[in-house]
Amino acid sequence: IMEHGESAYIMPIAALNKKQGKRFVAGQEAFNEAWVVAPEPGVWGLGPTFNEDRCSHCHEANGRSAAVPDGEEAVRGPLVRLSIAGQDEFGGPSPHPAYGDQFQNRGIEGRVPSEGKVQVSYAPLDVEFADGEVITLREPKIQFAELEFGEIGDATMTSLRVAPQLVGLGLLEAVPDETLLAIAERQAEQGVSGRPNYVWDVENERRVMGRFGWKANQPSVRQQVAAAFMGDIGATTYLFQQENCPAVQEKCLDTPSAASCGGQGGCGGNAFRPEVNPSRLTNISLYLRTLAVPARRNLDDPQVKQGEKLFSQAQCSTCHIPELRTAPAGQLPHDIAAAADVTIRAYTDMLLHDMGPDLADGRPDFEASGSEWRTPPLWGIGLLETVNGHSDLLHDGRARNVTEAVLWHGGEAQASRELFRNMTAAERRALVKFVESI
């Protein structure tokens, strides 16, 4: 029996062996565990600056974080990425000299100041359908407040992001590069320029195809987890060994890392020990790779069937590809045998597409331009309201439902958006109902 209630995103796949089942449980516990500052009781290694103290605060029930309410501060999921012109040594974004590559709104109480606050407000934008119905979209505007280390600067590139849902990651990781490159070739013949992002694989020290993150800037689930530990919680791993402390943040730099704190409470020692020990990183990675995708619902509903046809007619399926096949057993990038040789219906191509100026954040990320985004998978999207109590979509949560999300599509998706805008109200409802059934 598939779970379609509040637990829809937290079920393991059925085919785990006993050892993997144990690691799934350990990973789930670690995902929900609070990090603390040594020597408090808990997992040592929080901060010195950070956004949240555990994974599950941003990804509640493995779902998606809600958008920031109008006029309020960004907490519990939404965060802001920062960079300045140029690239780092690996071709990625160049961090802000005083605030790094992610704005951290929390510090260690009484010891390390937070970097400041982010507030979000929305500007209304009216869109009219061909039948005369008007819908008001909202465009987020961010403002920094109580900045601890000087102005952010107008030349700084900023990008507001919400935390995405986490089901099916091991399956997406198992789709071969060749499959995605073949899709890119096929799209080029249709006048659509989907392309992979090529990013830095920290463990293997080479450029590889990116798959995860809003701009496909992470190559693997494991590196994505390690990057989140560093950026969101402030915890080091063997992949990212330096605390996120730019040179001007002296108190941040002066705080001893839990990596050098021995069990006897002494914080000397030069040997690097990651705050996130390797087994914790491995367990959380396995947990995320083996989260089951909720089964589709309402497949036989005539309205859903009509919506599926319209989805295809509007060419949404050019990028939101209905079916992908994972690699055969001997060629998987991980040890989840159940992910081999299966057809998945994720409705993504994992490629970058230019979505036009309205959705652009103006912040390049490896080979992704300031207006390019990875096609997000659509599976499980209709259960978002049930699991997380909202239906906020897109990279910054600006769309409050599927209809609004479609209307933000520009650039390469503009023709599809116009086809949607020109549909009858009944056709639009059918298309939305189909998307919510995926």
Side-chain angles (χ1 to χ4, degrees), residues 228-244:
F229 263 121
M230 172 50 65
D232 306 345
I233 294 173
T236 56
T237 56
Y238 274 117
L239 280 73
F240 300 106
Q241 302 186 5
Q242 294 295 314
E243 300 278 17
N244 193 1

Side-chain angles (χ1 to χ4, degrees), residues 281-304:
L281 184 60
T282 299
N283 290 342
I284 291 180
S285 300
L286 174 125
Y287 169 65
L288 295 176
R289 282 174 174 139
T290 55
L291 288 171
V293 178
R296 287 193 54 192
R297 300 152 315 289
N298 311 324
L299 268 83
D300 298 328
D301 184 312
Q303 198 181 14
V304 169

Side-chain angles (χ1 to χ4, degrees), residues 24 144 168 385:
F24 179 92
F144 295 98
E385 183 98 50

Side-chain angles (χ1 to χ4, degrees), residues 12-29 282-291 332 334-340:
I13 57 172
L16 294 182
N17 61 37
K18 200 171 172 185
K19 185 180 166 198
Q20 289 171 332
K22 280 185 174 162
R23 277 171 52 198
F24 179 92
V25 172
Q28 186 172 39
E29 282 173 5
T282 299
N283 290 342
I284 291 180
S285 300
L286 174 125
Y287 169 65
L288 295 176
R289 282 174 174 139
T290 55
L291 288 171
L332 287 176
H334 50 56
D335 58 356
I336 318 296

Side-chain angles (χ1 to χ4, degrees), residues 15-297:
L16 294 182
N17 61 37
K18 200 171 172 185
K19 185 180 166 198
Q20 289 171 332
K22 280 185 174 162
R23 277 171 52 198
F24 179 92
V25 172
Q28 186 172 39
E29 282 173 5
F31 190 83
N32 292 304
E33 210 160 22
W35 284 69
V36 299
V37 179
E40 288 173 31
V43 191
W44 291 0
L46 181 66
T49 55
F50 58 100
N51 295 103
E52 283 300 330
D53 66 4
R54 69 201 78 182
C55 312
S56 58
H57 268 185
C58 296
H59 307 272
E60 288 185 45
N62 298 327
R64 187 186 294 247
S65 61
V68 184
D70 192 12
E72 292 190 21
E73 195 187 331
V75 290
R76 287 295 282 259
L79 53 83
V80 176
R81 297 225 185 282
L82 307 167
S83 50
I84 56 171
Q87 293 184 315
D88 71 7
E89 58 188 308
F90 303 113
S94 187
H96 188 283
Y99 292 99
D101 63 358
Q102 183 169 315
F103 192 79
Q104 277 147 342
N105 61 341
R106 297 171 71 181
I108 300 172
E109 199 118 349
R111 283 167 61 187
V112 181
S114 76
E115 294 179 338
K117 293 178 174 168
V118 174
Q119 284 154 343
V120 180
S121 57
Y122 295 91
L125 183 70
D126 287 348
V127 176
E128 189 174 352
F129 290 107
D131 62 9
E133 188 191 334
V134 175
I135 189 165
T136 304
L137 304 180
R138 55 174 192 171
E139 183 181 6
K141 309 278 183 196
I142 61 173
Q143 205 169 8
F144 295 98
E146 299 175 31
L147 288 168
E148 186 70 28
F149 304 101
E151 285 306 307
I152 295 272
D154 291 344
T156 304
M157 295 172 270
T158 61
S159 187
L160 177 65
R161 307 278 176 88
V162 295
Q165 68 190 43
L166 300 173
V167 294
L169 300 183
L171 294 168
L172 293 172
E173 199 169 24
V175 176
D177 286 6
E178 302 75 57
T179 301
L180 304 180
L181 293 170
I183 290 168
E185 275 183 40
R186 197 165 71 233
Q187 287 174 347
E189 290 161 16
Q190 298 167 282
V192 174
S193 63
R195 63 197 189 97
N197 198 354
Y198 282 97
V199 305
W200 190 250
D201 180 329
V202 175
E203 280 184 290
N204 298 306
E205 299 189 325
R206 60 193 176 107
R207 271 165 46 94
V208 298
M209 195 184 283
R211 289 169 183 258
F212 301 108
W214 289 107
K215 291 199 179 235
N217 70 340
Q218 293 295 355
S220 63
V221 171
R222 186 177 166 82
Q223 186 166 314
Q224 172 74 52
V225 173
F229 263 121
M230 172 50 65
D232 306 345
I233 294 173
T236 56
T237 56
Y238 274 117
L239 280 73
F240 300 106
Q241 302 186 5
Q242 294 295 314
E243 300 278 17
N244 193 1
C245 296
V248 297
Q249 297 194 23
E250 290 169 14
K251 286 181 176 164
C252 185
L253 288 165
D254 289 348
T255 304
S257 166
S260 57
C261 294
Q264 302 306 309
C267 286
N270 298 320
F272 174 77
R273 283 209 312 279
E275 291 161 332
V276 184
N277 63 36
S279 67
R280 182 182 294 269
L281 184 60
T282 299
N283 290 342
I284 291 180
S285 300
L286 174 125
Y287 169 65
L288 295 176
R289 282 174 174 139
T290 55
L291 288 171
V293 178
R296 287 193 54 192
R297 300 152 315 289

Side-chain angles (χ1 to χ4, degrees), residues 336-411:
I336 318 296
D341 239 344
V342 288
T343 297
I344 62 171
R345 298 180 66 84
Y347 287 83
T348 179
D349 56 10
M350 284 186 278
L351 301 172
L352 298 171
H353 292 274
D354 187 330
M355 296 300 289
D358 288 343
L359 273 187
D361 65 353
R363 182 179 179 271
D365 201 333
F366 289 95
E367 294 185 12
S369 77
S371 59
E372 284 181 316
W373 299 96
R374 179 192 80 146
T375 307
L378 300 180
W379 53 15
I381 202 169
L383 293 166
L384 192 56
E385 183 98 50
T386 305
V387 174
N388 293 123
H390 69 84
S391 52
D392 298 340
L393 299 171
L394 300 178
H395 64 278
D396 51 16
R398 67 176 69 189
R400 286 163 288 204
N401 50 52
V402 173
T403 301
E404 290 191 15
V406 176
L407 290 174
W408 277 110
H409 282 52

